[in-house]
Amino acid sequence: MFKYVFTKVLKNRWLLIGNVLILAMMTVLQFIMPQFTQYIIDKVIPKANFQELFWTIGLMLLAAIVLGVFNYFSTYYMGVMSQNTITDLRNELYERIIRQDTHFFESSKTGDIMVRLTSDINNLQSLISPNMLSMIGSMFTFIGVYIFIFFVNWQMALAVTITLPLMFVIYRVFRTRIRQSFLKARGAQAKMSNQMQNTLTQIELIKSYTSETQESDKFAEFANENRDYTVSATWNQAVFSPLISFINYLGTAIILLLGAYFVIKKQLTVGGLVAYISYVAMLQSPIQSFTRLLNQLQQSLVSYGRIVEISQVQPTILNAPNAVPFPDFHDRISIQKASFAYPDSSKTKTTVPAIKQVSFDIPYAQTTALVGHSGSGKTTLTNLLDRLYDLDSGDILYDGVPIKKIELQSLRQHIAIVSQDVAMIDGTVRDNIRYGAPQATDDRISQVAQLADIADFIRNLPNGLETQVGERGMRLSGGQKQRIAIARALLKDSPIIILDEATAALDNESEKAIQHALDNLLEQRTSLVIAHRLSTVHNADNIIALDDGQVVETGTHQQLMAQHGYYRQLYDAQFK
Ligand SMILES: Nc1ncnc2c1ncn2[C@@H]1O[C@H](COP(=O)(O)OP(=O)(O)OP(=O)(O)O)[C@@H](O)[C@H]1O
């Protein structure tokens, strides 16, 4: 079960072996400490030998220093090992997640993936933390001390044994309750922060629909839930501590009663009794540790399961074993009887095909336009061209090479997409423009910014290319974002361009301004342009009209207008 974690731990095996050795020595030293007390009381005090007293105390202090040094090494190096292991695990999990198929992200909740990467991994971390090692160490102490006190006085050891299960049960019951209450409180905290996040991102919606009270009530509900669970945990803690103290006093009382009897009967020395009490006290912390260990194991098993669950999801969109680089493109992209239905994440209903038996060509160095009603499958087709999804049937050929035979990275490097929702990364304007070409010089960036008609805008920004955009930076308008996306695509310099409503967010003036730049961009390239505004596809070499996932018409603007069919209807609906 923990094989995966332990293979990681074994990478640091020398640290681990060193730690275990140190731990064993610490256990022995801890075991010896009460012997000094016994020796002083029984041997040194009766003889009134001060020299021996100083020597014994000196030795005891020396042992304490050695114990402290061991403790330092064990805590520090175990901490190093635990951090190495966890960092490896975290990086590996991130790497696996980022390489998953698009469908994986559409069917998982962002929050859930985040929790697996953070809290779940942290839970595993406590399994290999310095605490855990010392917990295991105290198990050794427990067994050793227990055998020893039986050996010294079995009657007293038996009396101690009566209180141990009681203590174990109390620890187990209360710790479980406390943990569960805290877990539920944490769940409520997560809901609170979700609600807070929603409020911050949807504040305009909330204000315009005057739903402040409704949202405040929701927040208060989660806050109250958090309070109730935390209060419940506090109650359990308040009862737990006095109970444990009482059991301890009970144990000490029994030992004192029996011990005094044996001392009076001369079957035990006073030093022996004092040492005995110290040994019995040493049993208490392993019981605590043991219950903690059990809880920790439970939690770690749950987290481990959740981590393994995602790490076992295999992406299906991968390089074929005999994949070839993208061909030296000069002829056409050919879509042949392509059909595709989005996978249904709930797997309860059959999925409706978004693309049905679609066939058409996108010739080299020409502009092909894709038009159709909303939901007719235009974006889906572009996702298939970039292999974000694989076709259910049919094929897409790039100069005759089937899409699945082309190396994935090479395919995507040859296609630049400017999509409807422009994604901005958290960084500067420069970072955003050169996202696909990190080596690009500022000169080159200025060139593409000029072509995308965003150069003046950037020049007037307070820090020019250095201006922060994205979540923590300044807000850009839809049109500005799109022009940055166009600059980004220009810099990528791919032979194939897909423009998905690239000009939708631009006003007429800006649209005209960048039309020239777009024309430049498209001239030497093969392009597929999706546009709702039919004025932008007038000049396309060929227009494909899609309806309900099927090609219903193809031809130039003039030809399709003359047909008085689907395209004409779309056109008239816009311009009449
Ligand atoms: N990720 C998805 N999962 C499931 N179904 C989807 C997904 N994306 C789109 N669809 C569905 O597939 C169909 C085609 O959607 P698509 O986004 O390709 O249309 P579109 O023509 O680009 O629309 P628009 O012009 O409004 O952007 C729609 O019925 C839509 O509901």
Side-chain angles (χ1 to χ4, degrees), residues 547-561:
D547 188 23
D548 193 22
Q550 285 169 308
V551 176
V552 287
E553 281 173 1
T554 57
T556 60
H557 173 71
Q558 283 76 13
Q559 286 167 346
L560 293 183
M561 288 300 279

Side-chain angles (χ1 to χ4, degrees), residues 302-496:
V302 174
S303 291
Y304 185 74
R306 287 165 52 85
I307 290 168
V308 167
E309 200 175 83
I310 18 185
S311 62
Q312 279 177 347
V313 180
Q314 293 296 337
T316 54
I317 299 178
L318 296 166
N319 276 337
N322 51 351
V324 295
F326 196 83
D328 183 17
F329 187 59
H330 60 269
D331 184 21
R332 65 191 55 242
I333 307 170
S334 185
I335 300 166
Q336 298 180 347
K337 292 194 175 162
S339 292
F340 171 74
Y342 282 100
D344 177 35
S345 31
S346 61
K347 296 191 175 68
T348 48
K349 42 184 197 279
T350 46
T351 49
V352 190
I355 296 293
K356 304 167 198 161
Q357 296 279 321
V358 167
S359 299
F360 67 93
D361 282 357
I362 304 172
Y364 173 74
Q366 288 194 9
T367 298
T368 304
L370 208 50
V371 298
H373 288 300
S374 176
S376 57
K378 304 180 294 291
T379 308
T380 306
L381 251 178
T382 66
N383 289 344
L384 293 169
L385 285 170
D386 203 25
R387 226 186 139 198
L388 287 181
Y389 291 95
D390 272 339
L391 289 170
D392 295 333
S393 64
D395 211 345
I396 296 175
L397 307 164
Y398 287 85
D399 269 4
V401 184
I403 188 166
K404 283 193 184 175
K405 283 246 166 86
I406 303 172
E407 283 166 8
L408 202 54
Q409 225 188 346
S410 166
L411 171 79
R412 291 185 183 157
Q413 273 165 358
H414 284 79
I415 301 174
I417 299 185
V418 180
S419 58
Q420 299 186 14
D421 302 320
V422 178
M424 300 297 279
I425 57 158
D426 213 12
T428 61
V429 173
R430 178 192 286 109
D431 296 336
N432 270 284
I433 294 181
R434 65 171 183 194
Y435 188 66
Q439 313 299 339
T441 60
D442 276 3
D443 277 352
R444 186 78 188 106
I445 292 174
S446 305
Q447 254 176 355
V448 293
Q450 198 74 43
L451 283 170
D453 195 37
I454 191 87
D456 286 344
F457 169 75
I458 294 173
R459 211 167 299 125
N460 290 328
L461 285 174
N463 295 315
L465 278 175
E466 285 295 314
T467 311
Q468 286 286 331
V469 289
E471 199 184 352
R472 278 176 298 122
M474 68 175 278
R475 293 252 197 125
L476 297 177
S477 75
Q480 288 154 353
K481 279 197 223 166
Q482 277 197 332
R483 280 180 282 169
I484 287 190
I486 290 169
R488 190 189 283 165
L490 277 161
L491 204 58
K492 193 176 173 191
D493 203 16
S494 314
I496 298 166

